[in-house]
Amino acid sequence: MSQFKFSVGPWNVHEGADAFGPDVRGSIPFEEKIKKFKEIGMDAVQFHDDDAVPEMNSMTEKQIKEAAADVKSLLNKYGLAAEFVAPRLWMDPHTMDGGFTSNSKEDREFAIWRALRSADIARQLGCDKIVLWLAREGTLCQESKDPVEGNKRLIDGINAILNYDKSMKVLIEPKPNEPIDRSFIPTIGHVIGLSYRTADPNRVGGLIESAHAILAGLDPANEMGYALAAGKLWGVHLNDQNGMKFDQDKSFGAENLRQAFNQVLVLKKHGFGNNGEYVGLDVKVMRTQKLEVSYRHIENSLSVFRMLEKKADTFDWAFQKKCVAERDYEALEHYTIKHLLNM
Ligand code: 3MF
Ligand code: MG
């Protein structure tokens, strides 16, 4: 039995559109997705603010809270928790030039309004985590924003959430690029540095996505290790990525099994989950998949994670120690490969 609890977001089951083509599958109603997530073995659901409360821009704050309370009842019906709420600050025309770091004052205020509503929604859903994927907080044109000012504006945005609701934690999910060219906060190192300049560093941490680390040319397990060492790994988005190109969100372990194994190893070895953290997935269905089998990537990611947990449990640490003592890393590397191949 896994020591971990798992989560996934409703956007992980979608209609198959990509940057070069429209939808190829029908939509699955929200409740049906929730029900299926539970059947697959999920413990919690990840939310964008408008996954929980669609059309929230045209609603009053009271109406938003009431709509979120209905979602909480739905989660209760299926025995699922909510892991976090993330303001979707990249879809709205108000955030064309970024949210907290937009050059437009009015748009910056809109971003903060949405972030505070995320805190309201999170409270209703019974969770205490706000995730900020800083999608457009950076530049398409480098000369369009001052990077020093950009960092200060990010801190102002984070502080607004911290001051508004003292029970909320803010988890920044770093990504180096896409949809923008240059992100102000590209890696977990930047996240942790920034956290210490906010109003309450103890409530600011990180969520690491495997694909985002790979896009930055970094090793996901080492990035996780860095955040674990700082006591600031409060969420993960496990998936996989074939090199440094557009964000692929492939099934966990589908491209690089050894890299996936090392993520499981570091999470297991260092007690990730002991404070209630979830092993989150952020995986995208292939465009070619038919509607009836559009949850396969979630099932496969979970299945690979569990197989790799067994591999972590049966890893021969005595042999590892011997190899380290003899500095025979060729032997250790070959053992690891054989172990993963069941040979
Ligand atoms: C983009 C992402 C996002 C975030 C999500 C929650 C749409 O690369 O990874 O998924 O994970 O917005 O923060
Ligand atoms: Mg993600």
Side-chain angles (χ1 to χ4, degrees):
M1 197 48 199
S2 178
Q3 74 183 52
F4 295 107
K5 293 187 296 178
F6 299 90
S7 72
V8 73
W11 66 89
N12 284 164
V13 179
H14 56 81
E15 296 76 16
D18 65 19
F20 299 95
D23 291 356
V24 289
R25 291 182 287 270
S27 298
I28 298 175
F30 182 69
E31 181 163 359
E32 211 177 292
K33 288 186 186 177
I34 301 286
K35 185 166 176 266
K36 183 74 179 177
F37 289 162
K38 181 68 184 182
E39 280 167 25
I40 290 174
M42 292 295 139
D43 302 283
V45 181
Q46 311 164 15
F47 287 93
H48 291 118
D49 49 1
D50 57 0
D51 289 323
V53 186
E55 310 299 332
M56 59 184 289
N57 280 353
S58 56
M59 292 164 75
T60 64
E61 291 171 20
K62 184 166 172 280
Q63 286 170 329
I64 292 172
K65 285 184 194 162
E66 284 164 3
D70 291 343
V71 177
K72 173 65 177 160
S73 307
L74 198 66
L75 290 176
N76 289 347
K77 180 173 164 193
Y78 294 102
L80 285 160
E83 183 190 9
F84 65 69
V85 179
R88 198 179 329 236
L89 293 180
W90 54 95
M91 288 279 197
D92 200 283
H94 283 292
T95 56
M96 203 178 290
D97 188 32
F100 306 122
T101 70
S102 171
N103 279 324
S104 147
K105 183 165 180 286
E106 195 192 325
D107 292 350
R108 290 198 300 277
E109 283 165 3
F110 170 80
I112 291 179
W113 183 82
R114 285 283 293 253
L116 302 189
R117 299 296 74 71
S118 287
D120 288 345
I121 295 169
R123 227 171 217 279
Q124 295 296 325
L125 296 181
C127 69
D128 64 355
K129 289 177 177 153
I130 301 295
V131 167
L132 299 179
W133 168 45
L134 303 169
R136 298 187 194 277
E137 312 296 8
T139 57
L140 289 171
C141 164
Q142 175 67 4
E143 295 76 19
S144 66
K145 288 181 188 170
D146 177 334
V148 174
E149 187 65 31
N151 274 273
K152 286 184 181 156
R153 284 180 171 163
L154 276 177
I155 293 170
D156 290 345
I158 296 163
N159 285 348
I161 307 172
L162 295 174
N163 292 333
Y164 177 71
D165 188 333
K166 303 268 190 261
S167 70
M168 288 296 149
K169 296 192 188 81
V170 175
L171 284 63
I172 300 172
E173 179 181 347
K175 182 177 178 181
N177 60 283
E178 199 203 25
I180 48 168
D181 183 30
R182 293 163 168 88
S183 168
F184 288 142
I185 304 294
T187 70
I188 196 67
H190 294 81
V191 168
I192 293 175
L194 192 79
S195 76
Y196 288 109
R197 295 173 51 224
T198 64
D200 189 356
N202 289 330
R203 286 193 285 133
V204 183
L207 180 152
I208 294 182
E209 173 162 324
S210 325
H212 297 178
I214 298 166
L215 283 171
L218 299 168
D219 179 79
N222 270 6
E223 293 294 279
M224 289 172 190
Y226 180 82
L228 284 163
K232 283 186 181 286
L233 187 66
W234 301 342
V236 291
H237 267 172
L238 298 187
N239 57 18
D240 213 346
Q241 173 72 24
N242 173 21
M244 294 165 81
K245 49 180 77 166
F246 62 95
D247 189 5
Q248 297 181 304
D249 295 340
K250 293 187 127 195
S251 290
F252 183 56
E255 280 299 322
N256 190 333
L257 207 51
R258 185 176 173 196
Q259 197 169 259
F261 171 66
N262 278 296
Q263 291 171 66
V264 176
L265 204 60
V266 78
L267 294 175
K268 249 183 121 75
K269 204 169 167 212
H270 295 280
F272 180 81
N274 287 350
N275 301 311
E277 302 91 350
Y278 293 93
V279 171
L281 302 173
D282 193 1
V283 287
K284 193 173 263 162
V285 206
M286 286 184 210
R287 184 169 161 83
T288 44
Q289 216 55 8
K290 292 183 183 139
L291 184 68
E292 320 77 78
V293 284
S294 57
Y295 293 87
R296 200 76 103 195
H297 60 309
I298 298 174
E299 293 165 320
N300 291 349
S301 296
L302 193 59
S303 156
V304 166
F305 187 93
R306 287 184 166 142
M307 287 191 277
L308 291 176
E309 268 195 88
K310 283 198 193 122
K311 288 293 169 188
D313 289 339
T314 53
F315 191 74
D316 187 347
W317 287 104
F319 185 69
Q320 186 267 3
K321 234 174 141 186
K322 181 172 170 287
C323 292
V324 169
E326 292 167 3
R327 219 200 308 124
D328 190 355
Y329 298 159
E330 292 288 356
L332 178 57
E333 184 161 79
H334 192 61
Y335 160 71
T336 304
I337 300 294
K338 275 180 23 188
H339 182 59
L340 290 175
L341 290 171
N342 258 349
M343 303 297 256

